[in-house]
Structures are given as C-alpha cells and as structure tokens.
Amino acid sequence: MFLTALFLLSVFEYTQMEAETMRPVNTRYYRTVPQLLLLLLICAAIVYLLRWVGRKAEKNGLPSEKTIRRADLVAFLICAAETLFTYLLVDYIPTADQAEIWNTAVCIAKGSFESMKDADWKYFTAYPYQKGLALVTGLLVSVFGDNMKLAWFPLGLLSALSIPMLMQRLAKLYSEGIARIYLDVFLALFVPVSLYSVYLYGNLPAFAMELAAFYCIEKLLRSLKIRYAVGASLLCAFGVVIYTSAFIGVIAIAVRIFFYVVHNRKNEGKKKLAQLLSVAIIIVLSSILLPRFLNNIVFTRATGL
C-alpha cells in the first residue's frame, strides 16, 4: 500500500535525462520527509481499519468461501485491467541494459549480427548473467516480430496475471477467512506489478516462476506427485535463466523442504523424506546447470560470442 501511494505521488514528479549519457539534468520531487511520514501514518491507519473490520466480520462468521472466491475474482480482474491499461498507455522505449538485451535479441532472432557494435559484445562480457534473458527475448522476437511492445508483452502479461493468481492459491493453502480478503485488497492496490509488465527485464517473469515453483512444492509436500517435482525444477531453472537473483528463491525452496523433513522425521516414512531431499537437490542442481548450459553453450553458438 505504501509503495502504491509512493507511485501515485511520483505521477506528479519527473526527471529529465540526457539522451546520450542517460544522466539526470533536471529533477522535481513533490515529497518531503513530513509528507512521507504522513503518508505512512495514513497507510497504517487504513491497515488498522481493515483489521478492525476483519475482526468484526470474523465474529459474525464472515466471510464465507463463496465471498472469498468473489473477492479473488474481483482482485484478479482489477490486476488484469491495470496491466492492460499500462500496456495501452505506456510507450516504452528500452534504454541502457534493456536496449542491449533487446538489440541482441533481435539479432539472435534474425540470425544476423552486423548491426551489433563492439559495445554490445562488451556488455555481455561484463554482464554474462544477461545472456539467458537475451535468448528468451530472442525466442519471443522470432515468434511475435521485432516490435518490442508486441514481442515482450505476452511474457509480461502472463507474469503480471500469474502473480496475483498464484498468491491467491498459496493463501488458500496457508490461511482461511479474512486474511485472504486482505490479500485481495493489497493485490488490487499494488500497481507496480502491472507497471513492470512492459519493462524488459527478468525480475517479473522470474518472480512469477518462483511463485509457481513454491506452489508446486507445497502441493508436492501434500501429495508427493512427480509432476509437482518436475514442475518446480523446471520453473526454478528457467527463473534463474531469466534473472540470476531468482536463485535466492531456489535456496528458499530447498530450505523449506529441508525444514519439512526435519520437522516430520518422526511422523513421515523415511522413503518419502528421502525422496523430498532428492527433489531439493535436483532443484538446486538444475538451477545451476541449465543457466550455465544456456549462457555458456547455447548463447555462444547463437551469437559467436
């Protein structure tokens, strides 16, 4: 809520940049420390009010599961509308890292690298972890064309819509009642997810993949079905391919499985616990080996770098 409020304030602010150096030359902010403190107090008051209303509702036996499902749907539709509005409103032009990735992706899709400069090659030498994102973006360009808004948006849209849906499903596994209504309120208000849908970078798709992997793991702990283990492994691996920092989520998943095994070592069978530990090892290894394979072998064969 606080981040969304900051975003609304930033609508009235601007930063002028130099076209060549991308350095700020003129910045105007309308927020001061007292204003930020007041904003924080307002957000805290709203959260307290929501909690007070929620306690009253719980005492009366509300909300019902039907009401929660309706709230989930409304929140999801609001998130979808925000994402579509962002796509129609924002005319995004990639700069800096995004420009390097986009230009390389177009060259990969076309199979021609004559337009690439020495600086483009040096970029991937300095930042090799961006190779995976360039490969994925190149695949999108080969399917949807070299119009960035059309090529990147399918992945951005899928990611932006997957995040609220996955968080709702995870909330259903973890909690009941009014807490899920709270989540729907904050999902609808958290517009940065929609804004990132048009931003050519790997953080939003990787976050969506990590959430999906967490959901698979929670289902795996309850059912031990192989499809959830395979799904979690692939999602984690490709999340790291797109955004290297997603490996933090991989570690979190491995820790979640480890603590589950330790906590249930007396209640669960040894075979199941051994299988779960094997899944954790496979997830970590796949998240290391697949990005290295794509970055060091596939990217090199595709570009000659």
Side-chain angles (χ1 to χ4, degrees), residues 51 53-63 176-179 182:
R51 182 55 181 158
V53 172
R55 287 177 176 176
K56 292 289 185 181
E58 286 180 329
K59 288 182 179 179
N60 296 324
L62 298 173
E176 294 293 337
I178 198 67
Y182 293 153

Side-chain angles (χ1 to χ4, degrees), residues 8 18 28 38 42 60 100 109 111-112 125 129 137 140 154 158 166 173 191 198-199 209 235 259 284 289 293 300:
L8 294 176
E18 289 183 355
R28 177 174 292 180
L38 178 61
I42 293 173
N60 296 324
E100 298 285 355
S112 174
T125 302
Y129 51 83
T137 308
L140 293 173
L158 180 63
L166 288 166
L173 294 176
V191 292
V198 295
Y199 185 63
M209 290 181 185
L235 288 164
F259 277 106
V284 173
L289 297 177
F293 171 74
T300 301

